């Protein structure tokens, strides 16, 4: 009993001092410059971020984050995080910024600040040849009894609920599990950000096909930062404008999404 | 006279006679923990929005009671746990008897099963059964989950059963044999009633483990309590609030199991 009281006294005594680690105390930018390392939250997601044969991270987002750190003059440290928990991890200060193909969504924006878009993505569907035979529109999938899979916490879930509310949706922590589910013929289709569904259809042409010729949404992609950090937000916005004008973003995007030159690196 | 009153007095004491000091200690400890949590989250600048949570448990739509997603998930979790418990009993008892039997093959089988299951992670087993084995056997998601859970917990339960049976002194077997009991009768009337008393406490722990491990089935997209919680979090980002509510629900479920077993323990109590 006495011990507890003593402990409480000690803790309340300690807590009166300002805490140097609190994110509100200084901007993330200050902290990054001081410590010389930019901690980036991300999740593996072909071809945004993936591991090559040697276990090194490569991909579009990795290039963007590396260049950002380079332009700040600091080192980059990637913190791989499960997608479903990536926003809480940012809020609680596990890293400084999310660069992981995160779609800008109003309900996400209630918890974090977004930079201006540095990329746009769209949702597409890849479907099972046998189960979804003859499906070629969203209406075909929007029926009770049709099951779809998507990654938990991704904008694919939002899109699937909006365009195909009558289909049942199975959620997985990883995209790879959702595709495994499709290959095992347990769901009719997987909803995901382009170009991954298309890649899967190319990889298993005898089992899967693309029911829609094009993406059915267009979503802006931004960096996510902790709320109220105007300083850092302004920096990344400006940085995006600069590399956009350079044409560097377009060039990188083409390399990762339109060419397959990087394939030998992962296989 | 005094001796007769004693048990009564004890009971009364247990119910309401908690000394004030104890209550104060409890409150202080609880307060301290809550305060710590508050401090921890305050530091990170998390804004609490408890008022948004309740409608995910249940809501009233024009006076009509509507079950929220969390209660839906609770039903699924309870179903999985109950089925798995029954199957765990079956697998556990069977492999315990196999290990105690005289047959070499049965021993090897049971031993192999226990070692294989005990020394690999449950998550790996769950994925293996769901993604690899179930398409071959053509079993559904729910069945795969129950199978994986009960096989896993059954391996532990088997050792608990075996320990309970082995712990009964050899003289009991001999006495039963000399009274002319058959093997089955010996187990049924002599060994089992005594072993149950020793098996129940660790088995309770195992059952509670099963309940908590059932949260892993969310990884194969079963809409159990954990999955429903994660789905809500991914849409509302009420991270801590929902996880705390989930923890509370699991706590209550585990307490229910504990109390149920306490009842059983009373039934098998030795009259001394």
């Amino acid at each position: 009993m006495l011990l507890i009281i003593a402990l409480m006294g000690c803790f309340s005594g300690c807590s009166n001092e300002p805490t140097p680690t609190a994110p509100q105390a200084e901007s993330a930018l200050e902290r990054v410059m001081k410590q010389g390392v930019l901690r980036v939250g991300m999740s593996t997601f072909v071809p945004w971020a993936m591991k090559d044969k040697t276990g090194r991270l490569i991909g579009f987002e990795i290039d963007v984050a590396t260049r950002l750190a380079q332009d700040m003059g600091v080192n980059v440290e990637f913190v791989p995080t499960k997608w479903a928990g990536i926003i809480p991890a940012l809020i609680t200060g596990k890293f400084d910024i999310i660069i992981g193909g995160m779609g800008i969504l109003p309900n996400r924006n209630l918890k974090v600040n977004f930079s201006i878009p540095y990329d746009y993505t769209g949702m597409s569907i890849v479907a099972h040849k046998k189960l979804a035979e003859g499906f070629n529109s969203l209406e075909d999938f929007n029926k009770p009894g049709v099951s779809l899979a998507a990654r938990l916490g991704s904008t694919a879930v939002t899109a699937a609920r909006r365009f195909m509310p009558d289909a049942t949706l199975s959620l997985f922590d990883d995209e790879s599990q959702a595709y495994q589910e499709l290959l095992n013929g347990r769901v009719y289709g997987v909803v995901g950000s382009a170009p991954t569904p298309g890649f899967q259809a190319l990889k298993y042409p005898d089992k899967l096909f693309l029911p829609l010729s094009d993406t059915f949404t267009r979503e802006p992609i931004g960096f996510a930062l902790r709320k109220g950090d105007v300083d850092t937000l302004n920096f990344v916005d400006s940085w995006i404008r600069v590399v956009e004008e350079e044409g560097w973003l377009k060039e990188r995007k083409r390399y990762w999404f339109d060419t397959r030159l990087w394939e030998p690196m992962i296989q | 006279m005094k001796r007769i009153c004693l048990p009564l007095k004890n009971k009364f004491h247990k119910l309401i006679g908690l000394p004030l000091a104890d209550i104060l200690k409890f409150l202080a400890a609880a307060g301290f923990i809550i305060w710590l949590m508050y401090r921890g989250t305050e530091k990170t600048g998390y804004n609490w929005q408890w008022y948004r949570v309740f409608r995910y448990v249940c809501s009233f739509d024009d006076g009509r009671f509507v079950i929220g997603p969390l209660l839906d998930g609770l039903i699924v979790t309870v179903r999985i746990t109950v089925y798995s418990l029954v199957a765990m009993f079956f697998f556990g008892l069977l492999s315990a008897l196999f290990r105690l039997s005289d047959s070499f093959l049965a021993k090897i089988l049971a031993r192999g099963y226990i070692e294989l299951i005990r020394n690999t992670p449950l998550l790996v087993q769950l994925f293996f059964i769901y993604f690899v084995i179930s398409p071959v056997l053509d079993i559904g998601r729910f069945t795969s989950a129950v199978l994986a859970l009960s096989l896993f917990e059954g391996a532990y339960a088997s050792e608990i059963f075996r320990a309970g049976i082995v712990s009964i002194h050899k003289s009991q077997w001999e006495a039963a044999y000399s009274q002319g009991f058959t093997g089955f009768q010996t187990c049924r009337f002599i060994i089992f009633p005594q072993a149950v008393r020793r098996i129940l406490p660790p088995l309770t722990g195992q059952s509670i483990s099963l309940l908590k491990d059932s949260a892993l089935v969310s990884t194969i997209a079963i809409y159990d309590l954990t999955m429903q919680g994660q789905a809500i979090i991914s849409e509302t980002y009420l991270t801590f609030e929902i996880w705390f509510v989930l923890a509370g629900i699991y706590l209550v479920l585990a307490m229910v199991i504990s109390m149920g077993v306490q009842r059983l323990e009373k039934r098998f109590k030795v009259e001394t």
Side-chain angles (χ1 to χ4, degrees), chain B residues 83 109 142 148 208 257 272:
Chain B
Y83 285 131
L109 268 177
F142 190 86
I208 289 170
I257 293 180
T272 42

Side-chain angles (χ1 to χ4, degrees), chain A residues 38-42 57 61-63 65-66 76-80:
Chain A
L38 174 72
R39 295 170 307 156
V40 178
M42 39 70 73
L57 284 163
E61 302 291 343
I62 305 298
D63 283 356
T66 310
V76 66
E77 181 196 325
F78 290 103
V79 185

Side-chain angles (χ1 to χ4, degrees), chain A residues 1 4 7-8 11-12 15-17 19 21-24 84 87-88 91-93 102 105 107-108 110-111 152-154 157 161 169-173 177-178 180-181 184 186-187 226-227, chain B residues 21 24-25 28-29 31-32 35-36 39 42-47 49 52 127 130-132 134-135 139-141 144 218-221 223 227 230-231 233-241:
Chain A
M1 184 74 202
I4 290 172
L7 268 176
M8 285 182 96
F11 269 101
S12 52
S15 62
N16 291 339
E17 301 156 24
T19 46
T21 49
Q24 282 88 356
I87 284 187
I91 294 172
T92 53
M102 182 171 269
L105 282 180
N107 67 351
R108 277 180 184 159
L110 296 172
K111 291 274 178 187
L152 183 67
S154 64
V157 180
R161 290 235 164 92
L169 199 55
S170 300
L171 304 177
F172 289 92
D173 259 349
Q177 289 164 5
Q180 190 56 53
E181 187 83 347
N184 286 351
R186 292 177 182 280
V187 286
R226 277 185 290 274
K227 286 176 80 159
Chain B
L24 280 176
K25 272 182 207 162
F32 177 66
W35 175 82
L36 259 188
R39 283 287 317 160
E42 194 188 39
K43 251 185 206 172
T44 57
Y46 187 83
N47 59 327
Q49 297 174 314
R52 290 173 64 190
F127 281 162
Y130 181 62
F131 287 116
V132 182
S134 77
I139 51 177
R141 203 173 275 170
S144 309
S218 62
T219 54
I220 57 168
Y223 277 83
M227 186 67 192
Q230 284 181 314
I233 289 168
S234 71
E235 278 167 36
T236 61
Y237 302 104
L238 294 166
T239 316
F240 293 121
E241 290 92 335

Side-chain angles (χ1 to χ4, degrees), chain A residues 31-88:
Chain A
R31 211 204 53 76
V32 170
M33 299 312 288
K34 249 184 220 160
Q35 304 196 344
V37 63
L38 174 72
R39 295 170 307 156
V40 178
M42 39 70 73
S43 186
T44 47
F45 200 20
V46 179
W48 280 267
M50 54 212 161
K51 283 214 162 107
D52 71 358
K53 278 181 297 204
T54 59
R56 215 168 42 94
L57 284 163
I58 55 165
F60 176 69
E61 302 291 343
I62 305 298
D63 283 356
V64 170
T66 310
R67 168 83 197 265
L68 176 65
Q70 210 179 354
D71 291 350
M72 287 170 133
V74 296
N75 292 325
V76 66
E77 181 196 325
F78 290 103
V79 185
T81 309
K82 275 237 182 291
W83 192 248
I86 204 161
I87 284 187

Side-chain angles (χ1 to χ4, degrees), chain A residues 157-175:
Chain A
V157 180
T158 323
R161 290 235 164 92
R162 204 171 89 215
F163 290 94
M164 294 157 283
D166 294 340
T168 50
L169 199 55
S170 300
L171 304 177
F172 289 92
D173 259 349
D174 284 311
E175 286 247 306

